[in-house]
Amino acid sequence: MVVMILEKVPTSVRGQLTRWLIEPHPGVFVGHVNAMVRERLWNKCCGARGIGGVVQIWSTNTEQHFEMRSLGDTRREIVAFEGLQLIRLPVEKR
């Protein structure tokens, strides 16, 4: 399974993803593709994201049973902690 989350990307990128994945919520894409297609979708999104951000989550054989990666301007940050991938929320500046 693959989940891709797109933030502030051109609509053409979203249109290209709908060929392979479904979009149950604006900017969120879900589907089941092989590793080659997953990598190509990642490269396509990264190359055409503009000022936006891309997050990709996929099933794998790890302790968490998934892996994540992100690129660009996203609302959250992926951090590694003792072999686990966790999400860090940005601290709001006052």
Side-chain angles (χ1 to χ4, degrees):
M1 169 158 302
V2 172
V3 177
M4 294 191 73
I5 303 166
L6 307 179
E7 298 180 21
K8 300 180 264 181
V9 299
T11 55
S12 62
V13 177
R14 291 174 55 188
Q16 291 175 4
L17 282 184
T18 59
R19 296 177 186 163
W20 296 95
L21 310 170
I22 62 168
E23 188 177 15
H25 190 272
V28 178
F29 297 85
V30 180
H32 188 82
V33 296
N34 63 34
M36 181 185 72
V37 173
R38 182 185 75 227
E39 290 298 317
R40 289 186 180 184
L41 292 175
W42 173 254
N43 291 332
K44 183 175 289 283
C45 289
C46 290
R49 70 181 166 80
I51 61 167
V54 180
V55 177
Q56 188 179 60
I57 306 165
W58 67 95
S59 301
T60 188
N61 191 16
T62 63
E63 188 69 28
Q64 290 179 291
H65 298 282
F66 65 87
E67 286 190 37
M68 302 181 283
R69 59 184 167 185
S70 67
L71 181 70
D73 184 22
T74 61
R75 296 182 192 154
R76 296 168 179 355
E77 178 184 1
I78 299 171
V79 295
F81 181 76
E82 295 186 7
L84 299 174
Q85 288 185 302
L86 304 172
I87 300 294
R88 178 177 18 211
L89 299 173
V91 177
E92 293 184 20
K93 296 179 183 176
R94 296 180 188 231

